[in-house]
Amino acid sequence: MQKAIALAHQIGRVGMSSLVALCVDVSVFLAVLPLVPFAALAAVMGHASGIAAHYLVSSRFMLKAELSHVRGMKAQADALSRFFVAGGTGMAVTTLIVFLTVDHLGLNPLVGKGLAIGASFFTVFLMLRLLVLREPQQPHSLQSAEH
């Protein structure tokens, strides 16, 4: 039961950070869309802005709580790099979906972006869960390996 509650708290914190990032992402996407030749380029610009907003919000509300077990500059830098790997993966998913749906198939940019948002959120949440929000690993001792 405690794991389910902890997961619900993680989803809430990631969701709040993601909502702020989504607002920034879509705002930049819509502002830049008429200025660039490809919707995928506007998606990259929007998503990059969203990653920056996500990090700013996360560093205050999510990462501080989730990474309280991380000690030392190297460990914190490692956790931060994993956060940006997750964001970069989400950007790749977004760019690919917007390119295929809007630039290649000619769908409305909001439809393509909407599809990309869902896929990207799912991908980024899984990546954050696997790379950043995981439980700290306990070192294995020789005694536990023998049993």
Side-chain angles (χ1 to χ4, degrees), residues 34-97:
L35 307 174
V36 296
F38 302 104
L41 182 57
V44 168
M45 296 169 83
H47 200 92
S49 300
I51 289 172
H54 198 283
Y55 174 73
L56 291 172
V57 172
S58 294
S59 65
R60 298 286 182 234
F61 299 106
M62 182 183 72
L63 295 177
K64 194 176 285 186
E66 298 294 340
L67 299 179
S68 61
H69 63 277
V70 175
R71 301 282 186 251
M73 292 290 277
K74 184 177 181 336
Q76 289 177 359
D78 185 47
L80 181 62
S81 68
R82 290 190 309 260
F83 177 86
F84 282 107
V85 165
T89 303
M91 184 186 302
V93 168
T94 294
T95 304
L96 178 64
I97 291 173

Side-chain angles (χ1 to χ4, degrees), residues 2-11 13-14 62-63 66-67 82-83 86 121-137:
Q2 285 181 329
K3 285 192 177 194
I5 292 171
L7 178 61
H9 284 286
Q10 277 184 352
I11 291 171
R13 285 190 292 271
V14 172
M62 182 183 72
L63 295 177
E66 298 294 340
L67 299 179
R82 290 190 309 260
F83 177 86
F121 178 81
F122 180 74
T123 302
V124 169
F125 178 75
L126 285 179
M127 295 285 293
L128 287 174
R129 182 106 169 98
L130 294 172
L131 297 176
V132 180
L133 305 177
R134 63 185 177 185
E135 294 287 326
Q137 302 263 330

Side-chain angles (χ1 to χ4, degrees), residues 98-122:
V98 170
F99 172 76
L100 291 175
T101 59
V102 179
D103 295 330
H104 185 66
L105 296 176
L107 295 179
N108 181 298
L110 291 175
V111 172
K113 184 66 174 167
L115 293 170
I117 287 167
S120 179
F121 178 81
F122 180 74

Side-chain angles (χ1 to χ4, degrees), residues 15-27 46-47 49-55 57:
M16 181 196 62
S17 300
S18 296
L19 182 61
V20 171
L22 178 63
C23 290
V24 171
D25 177 351
V26 173
S27 296
H47 200 92
S49 300
I51 289 172
H54 198 283
Y55 174 73
V57 172

